[in-house]
Amino acid sequence: MERAQLERLLGGGDDPSLAALSALRAGASYVVWDGTTSSESLAKIYGRRLRHTLRRGIETSGLARAVHCLDLYGRPVRLGQIKTADGSWIFMLFVDEDGRSLVACTGVRQAQPGPARPNDC
């Protein structure tokens, strides 16, 4: 998928989409994979991820909404990913089969590596 097309898809206005669009315009890397996956199975997978992030206190953007949208969508989706230039956020994109519309977008803050620990050996 061309960058310009992806930018158009992300212009929907919800917070995670706008953050992903901003990251993309700031030089983030991205990929939209070929092939599709069942939106219902992704709703289950990302529902588990939602529970995990809540338990661990991991910051997310739009994850609950993405799970809801995937659950309601009921058709196959293509997956995409945008990784911010500094690696602090990863956005997952769920695009309709033809790549014409965005079904959902969610972001998760990536853990920052802690200080190096000396080897005990």
Side-chain angles (χ1 to χ4, degrees):
M1 180 175 289
E2 296 293 323
R3 186 176 288 265
Q5 181 183 0
L6 187 53
E7 286 182 8
R8 281 190 299 277
L9 291 178
L10 292 169
D14 67 342
D15 288 342
S17 297
L18 292 176
L21 177 59
S22 178
L24 193 61
R25 289 180 173 163
S29 61
Y30 78 96
V31 62
V32 177
W33 289 283
D34 290 330
T36 61
T37 304
S38 158
S39 61
E40 295 92 344
S41 66
L42 288 171
K44 290 177 186 172
I45 291 166
Y46 281 85
R48 285 192 296 271
R49 289 182 183 183
L50 174 60
R51 291 186 295 279
H52 172 79
T53 58
L54 290 171
R55 278 194 312 272
R56 300 278 186 170
I58 299 169
E59 186 179 356
T60 65
S61 177
L63 184 52
R65 183 178 183 277
V67 169
H68 179 73
C69 290
L70 288 167
D71 194 40
L72 292 177
Y73 188 65
R75 293 185 298 274
V77 295
R78 292 174 60 190
L79 288 170
Q81 183 183 77
I82 295 173
K83 184 176 181 180
T84 59
D86 67 0
S88 62
W89 282 85
I90 291 181
F91 296 92
M92 292 303 298
L93 316 172
F94 307 93
V95 180
D96 75 344
E97 199 167 5
D98 297 328
R100 293 187 184 140
S101 66
L102 183 69
V103 174
C105 176
T106 183
V108 64
R109 182 179 293 281
Q110 300 302 291
Q112 299 300 315
R117 299 177 76 192
N119 280 341
D120 293 334
C121 300

